[in-house]
């Protein structure tokens, strides 16, 4: 109840500031928290080992509960994995969509949007609603993310600007579908059979974060290969942009 009251207070504060109705203000706050970010790999997550960790599939795709320690989750959200699973089970989360679960974590328990997505993926994997690397709809995807010491618009331009993109993503055929500066970038990849969904978020004035979701993959093996590919390419992007800044 305390968390519900706190969220309602935030809604009313936005109403006072913007003149919006309660419904509109609430929708905007929820959307801001869960907006169009690919399902995440949090910045604070430990690096993936070269050998499969416990809980990893044979293709090397680790489950979320092994990637994110219980202690780290508790530090960022106030509860560990098992405690969250008890709450989610009591709410009958197995019968809800991914979006519904993430939104409930944000609005009812004030979990930050990035961590609400992380929790949701971990819950779905643990309850057998998806395999590691698999989306709830049955398809597979590969995710990658990086925090880079440049303003968010500069990070967005590294994807949207053809010449700049070729400097860190050479020989990649990318056909832009939509690009909304400086928030989202969507594109067909290669022959168009797979797709990129990229989200950007400012982390202060001089840092920003990019999250890449490579969708419509054929299976866990391709997902593992592209996961490694994006880890390498995003590291190259970070080196390029931060080196240019210096």
């Amino acid at each position: 109840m305390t968390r519900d009251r706190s969220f309602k207070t935030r809604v009313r504060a936005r109403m006072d500031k913007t003149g919006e109705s309660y419904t509109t203000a609430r929708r905007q706050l929820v959307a801001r928290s869960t907006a169009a970010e690919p399902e995440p790999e949090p910045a604070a997550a430990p690096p993936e080992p070269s050998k499969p960790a416990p809980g990893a599939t044979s293709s090397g795709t680790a489950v979320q509960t092994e990637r994110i320690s219980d202690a780290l989750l508790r530090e960022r959200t106030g509860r560990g994995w098992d405690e969250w699973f008890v709450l989610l089970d009591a709410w009958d989360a197995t019968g809800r969509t991914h979006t519904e679960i993430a939104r409930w974590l944000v609005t009812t328990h004030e979990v930050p949007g990035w961590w609400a997505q992380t929790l949701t993926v971990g819950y779905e994997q643990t309850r057998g609603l998806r395999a590691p690397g698999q989306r709830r709809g049955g398809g597979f995807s590969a995710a990658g993310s990086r925090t880079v010491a440049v303003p968010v618009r500069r990070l967005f331009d590294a994807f949207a600007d053809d010449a700049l993109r070729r400097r860190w993503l050479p020989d990649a055929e990318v056909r832009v579908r939509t690009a909304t500066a400086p928030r989202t970038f969507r594109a067909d990849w290669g022959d168009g059979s797979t797709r990129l969904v990229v989200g950007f978020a400012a982390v202060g004035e001089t840092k920003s974060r990019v999250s890449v979701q490579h969708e419509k993959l054929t299976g866990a093996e391709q997902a593992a290969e592209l996961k490694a590919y994006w880890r390498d390419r995003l590291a190259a992007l970070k080196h390029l942009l931060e080196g240019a800044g210096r």
Side-chain angles (χ1 to χ4, degrees):
M1 292 298 292
T2 300
R3 293 180 183 272
D4 288 338
R5 285 197 298 271
S6 177
F7 183 73
K8 289 176 181 177
T9 298
R10 290 164 55 200
V11 173
R12 293 192 176 96
R14 181 181 174 91
M15 291 169 62
D16 292 340
K17 182 178 180 180
T18 65
E20 296 168 339
S21 68
Y22 183 91
T23 300
T24 300
R26 183 183 186 281
R27 183 170 61 247
Q28 292 296 327
L29 286 175
V30 171
R32 180 180 298 177
S33 299
T34 58
E37 289 186 4
E39 292 167 11
E41 290 180 30
E48 294 184 16
S50 57
K51 296 181 180 180
T57 66
S58 59
S59 63
T61 304
V63 298
Q64 202 81 312
T65 53
E66 294 291 341
R67 180 181 295 116
I68 309 300
S69 71
D70 199 68
L72 177 60
L73 186 69
R74 186 183 302 278
E75 176 188 334
R76 300 303 174 88
T77 69
R79 292 182 175 89
W81 285 110
D82 289 343
E83 293 169 282
W84 280 117
F85 290 172
V86 168
L87 286 175
L88 287 162
D89 285 339
W91 184 62
D92 194 25
T94 55
R96 319 273 182 160
T97 67
H98 177 91
T99 300
E100 287 173 333
I101 297 172
R103 182 178 294 126
W104 181 76
L105 290 168
V106 171
T107 58
T108 302
H109 295 282
E110 296 186 341
V111 177
W114 188 263
W115 286 95
Q117 293 283 349
T118 298
L119 266 169
T120 302
V121 172
Y123 179 80
E124 290 168 338
Q125 290 174 345
T126 301
R127 294 296 183 258
L129 301 175
R130 70 160 89 194
Q134 186 178 31
R135 300 180 68 82
R136 277 288 292 272
F140 284 79
S141 64
S145 61
R146 276 278 175 169
T147 298
V148 185
V150 295
V152 67
R153 182 56 192 250
R154 178 64 172 165
L155 190 55
F156 172 85
D157 287 344
F159 281 80
D161 183 275
D162 289 340
L164 182 54
R165 186 175 64 243
R166 284 194 293 270
R167 294 180 62 188
W168 64 275
L169 201 60
D171 304 321
E173 186 178 355
V174 177
R175 293 187 298 280
V176 180
R177 297 173 63 90
T178 61
T180 304
R183 296 182 58 190
T184 59
F185 175 89
R186 296 172 183 266
D188 291 327
W189 179 266
D191 62 2
S193 60
T194 64
R195 184 174 300 171
L196 296 181
V197 180
V198 187
F200 307 87
V203 185
E205 295 183 0
T206 59
K207 287 186 179 181
S208 51
R209 185 171 184 82
V210 57
S211 302
V212 177
Q213 191 82 25
H214 201 140
E215 298 182 340
K216 302 177 69 175
L217 307 183
T218 57
E221 183 175 352
Q222 187 186 25
E225 291 173 355
L226 283 168
K227 185 180 180 67
Y229 172 82
W230 282 110
R231 185 166 57 244
D232 175 76
R233 289 298 83 209
L234 292 177
L237 171 62
K238 179 181 176 73
H239 179 77
L240 171 68
L241 295 184
E242 292 184 350
R246 288 191 294 270

